[in-house]
Amino acid sequence: MNPAIVPVDRRVRAPRVLVVGRAASLRRDRGLLLALGGHTAVETMAPSAAWPLTYLRALRAARRHDAELVHLLDASLAPTGRRLRSRLGVPVTVSITADALRTQIAPSSPLLRDLGRLDEAFTPDRSMDAMLRSQGLDLPVTTVPPAIDLPAAPAERALRAVSSALRGVAPGRLILGVRMPGSSDELRWLRDAVLARLEAAPLCVLFGVADPSAVRPIVRRRGAPEFRVVGGPADDERIAAVARCVDAFVCIPRDHRTSPAGLLPLVASGAPVVAAADETAGLRHEHNAFVVPPGDDAQLVRILDSLLALPAIQRHALGEDFARWTLRAWPWEAPADVYVSRFAALVGRPRIPAELLRAA
């Protein structure tokens, strides 16, 4: 934890918080990092799979620093959180995403029971409350507004993966970055209803692919557009690597109505984005992306063809304008304020009106 970082919102004195999880997870949520700045915040690095060790290390750290609240960076840490809550008598909160709930936690998993015993969930997904209730959980949910810092630098491993995928591509070939949709059926729809109808016939770089072998039969179908596959998650560093070599991005957000946070690194990458989505808290049509209503395949094709027909310098300038607008519109102060306010409320610390704080 960087002690030089100070709280964004001084109207509330944040409680002493013990953070349980990996350092990389905390760094990705700079809003939480800012909210904790200047206060006691300890990271425990034990793998979440070894929950007894994680629990014992967290318990010692909480007692050593007299923690008033424990925050878990991953829902898989819920067993540790439940035991800390019982042993220490302090609130325990958790960061969770819709993707994690869908893919990592089975409906009958014991994790659901442990999650239900925590005090609050923090999430960028506005659908999380309904999703938890559908699982029979009555866990209070706080939605953290989307935010973006400076665009990530491409990781060396990601650059090598992209370079390998594009080996042998002719200079000047139009390249379209395609974020992996949420299902194979959606990928087939994108392939047949959109990409196959483009006049520009670009090479498609499919990224964010967890299992490349599962998509190869789809992208190698005879008569389909030409695809190159980049395995690995669609994290910030991989998006930055792909953005260095594509003329534009196209994506179908996995939950286009409620998951804006994952789109912000894409629209701040410097390459223009076309999204088959509703406008969300992260997307604004012709401000930081071209937003096409879901189901309007013809308009999606028209916008992509028009974008790819522009001179390269115009596409580059457009992508840079989109990135600058995103960085201005979604700073980190808003999520930091949400965290510090909710943490204070959970430990019973009232919010101090700004005018009283100034008077003091």
Side-chain angles (χ1 to χ4, degrees):
M1 178 62 59
N2 183 355
I5 297 178
V6 298
V8 172
D9 186 350
R10 295 180 181 273
R11 293 172 292 175
V12 178
R13 183 172 68 85
R16 294 182 298 277
V17 178
L18 170 69
V19 178
V20 183
R22 299 181 184 277
S25 298
L26 183 59
R27 285 195 298 270
R28 281 195 296 269
D29 191 350
R30 191 160 176 256
L32 176 58
L33 195 68
L34 286 170
L36 296 169
H39 302 278
T40 301
V42 182
E43 299 168 21
T44 60
M45 302 301 298
S48 58
W51 74 260
L53 177 59
T54 305
Y55 165 69
L56 291 174
R57 293 183 63 185
L59 182 63
R60 287 195 294 267
R63 287 173 169 169
R64 185 168 64 249
H65 295 281
D66 193 23
E68 299 174 272
L69 184 143
V70 175
H71 182 75
L72 311 174
L73 293 175
D74 191 283
S76 65
L77 292 163
T80 291
R82 177 175 66 83
R83 289 166 174 81
L84 288 172
R85 186 178 186 272
S86 175
R87 189 72 175 266
L88 298 171
V90 300
V92 177
T93 58
V94 62
S95 294
I96 189 170
T97 64
D99 277 352
L101 192 62
R102 291 189 189 102
T103 61
Q104 299 175 15
I105 305 176
S108 59
S109 171
L111 278 177
L112 288 175
R113 182 183 66 249
D114 292 328
L115 277 173
R117 296 183 182 179
L118 305 184
D119 291 273
E120 193 150 341
F122 289 82
T123 177
D125 304 308
R126 291 193 296 272
S127 64
M128 182 59 67
D129 186 61
M131 292 179 67
L132 290 174
R133 290 182 185 279
S134 71
Q135 301 281 7
L137 297 180
D138 193 22
L139 179 64
V141 176
T142 291
T143 303
V144 181
I148 187 70
D149 201 353
L150 295 176
E156 183 178 351
R157 177 182 294 182
L159 285 170
R160 288 199 301 268
V162 175
S163 176
S164 176
L166 292 177
R167 188 175 294 122
V169 175
R173 177 81 185 271
L174 286 172
I175 302 175
L176 186 64
V178 181
R179 180 172 171 171
M180 178 66 191
S183 69
S184 297
D185 287 342
E186 288 176 336
L187 178 58
R188 291 186 184 92
W189 166 80
L190 186 63
R191 178 197 67 191
D192 298 335
V194 178
L195 302 177
R197 295 167 58 188
L198 293 176
E199 293 181 6
L203 172 73
C204 301
V205 176
L206 183 67
F207 66 98
V209 181
D211 183 5
S213 63
V215 303
R216 287 192 184 107
I218 300 175
V219 300
R220 290 181 177 175
R221 180 182 176 183
R222 180 173 298 181
E226 183 179 359
F227 279 89
R228 302 292 177 91
V229 178
V230 178
D235 54 20
D236 297 4
E237 293 80 7
R238 199 169 301 267
I239 288 172
V242 175
R244 298 299 195 275
C245 67
V246 301
D247 295 281
F249 282 113
V250 62
C251 69
I252 314 165
R254 294 189 178 192
D255 189 340
H256 55 260
R257 294 177 297 279
T258 58
S259 299
L263 295 176
L264 290 176
L266 204 65
V267 296
S269 67
V273 173
V274 181
D278 296 328
E279 282 197 2
T280 71
L283 295 178
R284 291 290 185 273
H285 181 57
E286 295 187 348
H287 287 288
N288 66 347
F290 294 107
V291 184
V292 180
D296 195 341
D297 302 355
Q299 184 178 354
L300 186 58
V301 170
R302 283 196 302 272
I303 288 180
L304 279 169
D305 267 330
S306 298
L307 184 59
L308 294 173
L310 292 175
I313 188 64
Q314 289 188 24
R315 279 194 304 273
H316 176 76
L318 185 61
E320 290 296 318
D321 283 345
F322 283 175
R324 280 193 293 269
W325 189 92
T326 302
L327 293 171
R328 287 195 306 269
W330 306 113
W332 282 100
E333 285 81 358
D337 182 68
V338 168
Y339 279 116
V340 75
S341 299
R342 290 304 306 149
F343 285 165
L346 283 167
V347 300
R349 189 165 294 157
R351 191 181 186 105
I352 304 172
E355 58 271 16
L356 294 182
L357 193 63
R358 287 194 296 269

